[in-house]
Amino acid sequence: MTKMTTGRRFMLITAVWTLSAIMGLTVALAAVGWLGLWVAVGAFAGLGTTVVGGVLGQFLFATDFDGMIEGQRAQATDRDTTS
């Protein structure tokens, strides 16, 4: 994913957070409906699933690791490699 464009990154982040929201709703419904837990417990479980899944998914799928490595290398050698 070297030099990932802004549009592509936005699409990946949107897809990751959409899937995380779906997972969170599924966990909340399962906790309240099938397991018979309190609604508050299901809501907190769904919210936690959404946030953790979104953050981890965004880190894994929408982070430009090649760009980060190039930036660290340029900073370590103290020269600009973008030109």
Side-chain angles (χ1 to χ4, degrees):
M1 287 190 198
T2 183
K3 297 184 180 166
M4 190 178 348
T5 61
T6 305
R8 179 184 166 121
R9 186 164 191 257
F10 177 75
M11 293 289 285
L12 283 171
I13 291 172
T14 303
V16 163
W17 280 98
T18 301
L19 291 173
S20 294
I22 291 169
M23 286 189 322
L25 286 173
T26 304
V27 166
L29 289 173
V32 174
W34 294 326
L35 299 177
L37 299 175
W38 293 335
V39 174
V41 173
F44 283 119
L47 182 62
T49 302
T50 301
V51 171
V52 170
V55 169
L56 287 177
Q58 184 174 341
F59 176 73
L60 292 175
F61 298 115
T63 302
D64 187 12
F65 293 110
D66 293 334
M68 289 172 48
I69 292 170
E70 288 176 11
Q72 289 176 349
R73 187 177 303 146
Q75 187 178 17
T77 58
D78 208 25
R79 61 187 171 124
D80 187 17
T81 59
T82 58
S83 59

